[in-house]
């Protein structure tokens, strides 16, 4: 079979691009230990009341000054509410649900994750703009889903509480 030179050049260029892109994904996944942001940690959704972290979901400040927020989503609210965190510090959210799938989207930021019964979803954000943010559930979870919202207060210039 005769393949034109130009055709062959483009075929090889396409193959090289595929190898380059696939190689980039594999190398960065290995070097940065990339993994999906959730489903790494499980929790018994029926026993949240006995769970040391989720029985009383709250904001904790670690020794190094970073902030951890444990959140339980349930029909049709988030706990704790409101959530108060300091500005300009990494805030790690740890979400779970006690009933059905819920969404957890901090409007006006790039924080958006699902709260799934049985799993802990975790992500870290640093808020640079103090103010009040709305947290919305963006996964349909039942009759009052449209009413399921929380409040995040980002406070400026606070050292620790
Ligand atoms: Cu919902």
């Amino acid at each position: 079979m005769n393949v034109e030179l130009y055709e062959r050049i483009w075929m090889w260029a396409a193959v090289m691009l595929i190898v380059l892109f696939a190689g980039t994904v594999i190398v960065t996944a290995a070097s940065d230990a990339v993994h999906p942001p959730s489903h790494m940690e499980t929790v018994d959704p029926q026993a949240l009341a006995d769970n040391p972290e989720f029985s009383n979901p709250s904001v904790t400040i670690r020794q190094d000054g970073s902030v951890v927020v444990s959140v339980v989503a349930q029909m049709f609210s988030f706990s704790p509410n409101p959530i108060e965190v300091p500005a300009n510090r990494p805030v790690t959210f740890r979400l779970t649900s006690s009933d059905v799938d819920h969404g957890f989207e901090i409007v006006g930021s790039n924080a958006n994750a699902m709260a799934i019964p049985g799993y802990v979803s975790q992500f870290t954000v640093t808020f640079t703009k103090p103010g009040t943010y709305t947290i919305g559930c963006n996964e349909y979870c039942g009759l009052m889903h449209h009413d399921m919202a929380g409040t995040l207060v980002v406070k400026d210039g606070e050292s620790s509480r």
Side-chain angles (χ1 to χ4, degrees):
M1 189 175 70
N2 179 42
V3 180
E4 295 271 336
L5 176 63
Y6 269 136
E7 194 77 34
R8 249 180 287 164
I9 290 172
W10 283 111
M11 281 162 60
W12 280 108
V15 169
M16 293 312 290
L17 275 180
I18 291 167
V19 169
L20 178 75
F21 292 157
T24 307
V25 169
I26 293 166
V27 167
T28 52
S31 65
D32 298 344
V34 171
H35 53 71
S38 69
H39 291 199
M40 296 298 291
E41 191 182 333
T42 57
V43 66
D44 182 357
Q46 320 247 277
L48 290 185
D50 306 319
N51 185 287
E53 177 178 3
F54 292 107
S55 57
N56 180 28
S58 55
V59 179
T60 351
I61 300 193
R62 284 187 185 142
Q63 291 285 321
D64 64 0
S66 62
V67 181
V68 179
V69 185
S70 306
V71 179
V72 173
Q74 66 270 304
M75 290 186 264
F76 296 96
S77 62
F78 298 105
S79 177
N81 187 45
I83 297 170
E84 284 187 17
V85 297
N88 301 309
R89 274 209 247 169
V91 177
T92 298
F93 287 88
R94 290 170 51 75
L95 322 169
T96 194
S97 165
S98 61
D99 41 41
V100 299
D101 289 2
H102 295 283
F104 184 90
E105 177 180 9
I106 302 172
V107 181
S109 78
N110 66 349
N112 186 359
M114 284 177 80
I116 302 167
Y119 295 98
V120 178
S121 301
Q122 181 173 313
F123 61 90
T124 303
V125 211
T126 302
F127 299 97
T128 50
K129 264 177 59 183
T132 303
Y133 296 75
T134 297
I135 301 168
C137 173
N138 56 15
E139 298 287 337
Y140 182 74
C141 55
L143 271 186
M144 296 301 286
H145 164 67
H146 63 281
D147 225 22
M148 181 166 172
T151 302
L152 173 79
V153 181
V154 177
K155 291 187 152 185
D156 197 12
E158 199 179 39
S159 48
S160 61
R161 307 185 290 131

